[in-house]
Amino acid sequence: MATTRGEDLLLKTLGDFTSKENWDSFFTIKGAEDPFEWYAEWPSLRGPLLAELSATDLPTPPPPPLQILVPGCGNSRLSEHLYDAGFRGITNVDFSKVVVSEMLRRNIRARPEMRWRVMDMTQMQFADETFEAVLDKGEGLTL
């Protein structure tokens, strides 16, 4: 996990990672302008991630635009970087109302096609085959 010493202390204070209330508190304290990245920053992810999302084993041609789900999006800038790289069909999901509101507010004008949903990723409300790719920032890419 790529964190600063202050983030480490804040996370220890919050305790249970499955608690919506703890994440709401975390994002209230942290704010949207200070992104939290679990493992890596965009410069190290850019090449491999863009290559994987552009892989030839996707349906040919992929439905425009490629539909990407980012569960547990938090306040990471990963979706913003993907959007700016040309991927417009991004749906971000997090169970923290605080972070989804902040991210929506931060992106609504600059990235109007990107979607944000308050939702528990263990109880998704999407139809089967809605997405061609699921990008779990903690586990990797699933196509």
Side-chain angles (χ1 to χ4, degrees):
M1 178 168 17
T3 62
T4 66
R5 190 172 194 292
E7 287 172 343
D8 286 339
L9 293 173
L10 182 55
L11 287 173
K12 286 178 186 175
T13 302
L14 293 177
D16 182 5
F17 289 107
T18 63
S19 166
K20 292 179 196 179
E21 294 78 19
N22 286 353
W23 281 111
D24 283 344
S25 296
F26 175 81
F27 289 118
T28 297
I29 294 166
K30 190 154 184 49
E33 296 309 313
D34 187 13
F36 179 71
E37 306 293 352
W38 280 98
Y39 298 111
E41 300 284 337
W42 178 247
S44 61
L45 293 173
R46 185 181 191 282
L49 187 54
L50 293 181
E52 188 68 32
L53 288 171
S54 301
T56 57
D57 62 339
L58 290 173
T60 307
L66 179 68
Q67 295 301 307
I68 302 170
L69 174 66
V70 182
C73 61
N75 70 350
S76 169
R77 293 199 185 266
L78 182 59
S79 295
E80 296 169 359
H81 291 301
L82 283 172
Y83 188 97
D84 295 346
F87 294 93
R88 298 293 189 261
I90 301 171
T91 299
N92 300 281
V93 172
D94 203 291
F95 68 4
S96 170
K97 292 177 186 176
V98 170
V99 79
V100 169
S101 295
E102 288 177 0
M103 296 303 285
L104 181 59
R105 190 170 27 257
R106 184 168 88 195
N107 287 284
I108 192 73
R109 287 194 176 103
R111 299 171 184 91
E113 297 170 63
M114 192 156 41
R115 292 172 301 280
W116 302 90
R117 299 279 304 269
V118 175
M119 188 183 300
D120 184 332
M121 73 175 112
T122 65
Q123 299 175 10
M124 293 287 197
Q125 301 165 3
F126 298 111
D128 290 347
E129 300 182 20
T130 298
F131 303 98
E132 285 83 38
V134 177
L135 179 56
D136 180 335
K137 304 178 298 110
E139 298 299 325
L141 178 69
T142 304
L143 295 173

